[in-house]
Amino acid sequence: MSNALKERIARGEIVTAAWIDTGSPEVCEIVVNAGWDVVVIDCEHGAAPLEDGLSLIRAVQAAGGEAVLRVPDGSDTTLKRALDRGARSILVPMVNSVEQAKSIVYSCLYPPRGGRGYAAPIVRASHYGRWTDYAKQAHDDLLLMVQCEHVDAVAHVAEIGAIDGIDMVFVGPNDLSGSLGLLEQLDHPDLLKCKEEVERAGRESGVKLGTILGGGRNYSQIRDAGYSFIVGPADVGLLYDAARAARIEMADDLDLVADAGGTTRDY
């Protein structure tokens, strides 16, 4: 058994992904079939609670894609359930310190490397016992990413990324801007300075970095800044934009006015 996404990132490949926020297995299948072979299932801000999000992994895999699960928090119980149910690539939000990062790793790895609770023979992750060496090999199969999305984390990126068991530091610029008192000001010099500090730490220490599309940079610019995992469009935005464009096209064709809420009225 091997985590293909982890291998791609380790080889230095630039991996792009889409968000799944609706919690819909059909949307997961549509997005993968449209060519997004990696999707991030968002159980922090998305509609799906953890258990539903874990079920979405099946839809992604059945369609031929790789799933990353953003868990709602980094608690021991949350991580244990996510791993047991078969999440192989995990994104943990709001990791602000080295101590917190170490605690997350401890929860994710079996003894003696960590303290993950044991139920290997009965869980989906081991194919319900068919993978007999799962407990010995699970740490090699896991892609563990932690999010730097608070100013407190910026100075510790290199140290966090060097922790054995952590594969990537993922920058969340929106919450990072909020922690600076600059929410949604993604072009503010103070936020850009923080991002540059993270990117410099990544270059100098060899820490793998991920982030989202935006902030005035396209995919190639983000790649050139040192990121190897870039998460772009979300299903909600794709659906809204397509629905809105279709509504405007209809209104134009019928000489109607489409207001911002999507309703139409005569001139």
Side-chain angles (χ1 to χ4, degrees):
M1 305 294 177
S2 61
N3 186 329
L5 177 57
K6 182 174 182 175
E7 291 177 352
R8 290 171 64 185
I9 292 173
R11 288 196 302 266
E13 184 176 338
I14 307 301
V15 177
T16 57
W19 292 102
I20 296 294
D21 286 310
T22 59
S24 165
E26 289 80 11
V27 171
C28 287
E29 292 174 328
I30 291 168
V31 169
V32 174
N33 277 284
W36 292 93
D37 62 343
V38 180
V39 300
V40 180
I41 299 167
D42 190 356
C43 292
E44 183 191 17
H45 295 296
L50 181 62
E51 290 300 323
D52 291 348
L54 290 166
S55 294
L56 295 179
I57 293 174
R58 291 187 176 94
V60 172
Q61 292 173 340
E66 291 281 343
V68 176
L69 184 76
R70 177 155 75 170
V71 292
D73 58 72
S75 70
D76 181 80
T77 299
T78 294
L79 294 169
K80 177 170 55 182
R81 289 201 62 78
L83 292 166
D84 283 354
R85 291 292 301 278
R88 306 168 68 189
S89 302
I90 291 180
L91 180 61
V92 184
M94 282 291 177
V95 180
N96 299 335
S97 69
V98 174
E99 292 73 21
Q100 187 182 2
K102 288 180 177 179
S103 176
I104 288 165
V105 171
Y106 184 82
S107 295
C108 288
L109 303 183
Y110 283 122
R113 294 182 63 186
R116 178 181 169 186
Y118 181 81
I122 66 167
V123 297
R124 179 178 181 268
S126 70
H127 300 275
Y128 307 102
R130 182 167 63 89
W131 184 359
T132 56
D133 288 334
Y134 173 73
K136 296 177 182 178
Q137 299 174 354
H139 60 279
D140 292 327
D141 195 54
L142 173 64
L143 173 64
L144 180 58
M145 300 178 278
V146 295
Q147 287 197 248
C148 167
E149 46 187 348
H150 192 281
V151 64
D152 291 348
V154 171
H156 306 295
V157 165
E159 194 174 355
I160 289 172
I163 296 171
D164 186 24
I166 289 180
D167 299 291
M168 177 175 287
V169 175
F170 189 97
V171 180
N174 290 294
D175 281 319
L176 182 56
S177 72
S179 74
L180 293 165
L182 302 168
L183 187 62
E184 296 185 333
Q185 299 180 52
L186 298 185
D187 58 351
H188 194 282
D190 290 348
L191 175 63
L192 298 179
K193 181 179 178 181
C194 281
K195 290 169 65 176
E196 288 168 2
E197 185 175 344
V198 171
E199 292 157 9
R200 181 171 59 253
R203 288 192 301 271
E204 294 176 354
S205 65
V207 171
K208 297 284 188 181
L209 297 178
T211 193
I212 63 172
L213 181 66
R217 295 191 290 193
N218 58 26
Y219 286 100
S220 61
Q221 290 169 326
I222 294 172
R223 175 202 60 197
D224 294 345
Y227 296 89
S228 55
F229 184 50
I230 308 168
V231 188
D235 55 352
V236 172
L238 290 170
L239 178 58
Y240 181 90
D241 289 345
R244 185 66 185 145
R247 188 74 176 180
I248 292 171
E249 181 181 7
M250 176 277 298
D252 288 346
D253 189 43
L254 296 177
D255 292 328
L256 303 173
V257 174
D259 65 26
T263 60
T264 57
R265 61 182 185 272
D266 292 330
Y267 276 111

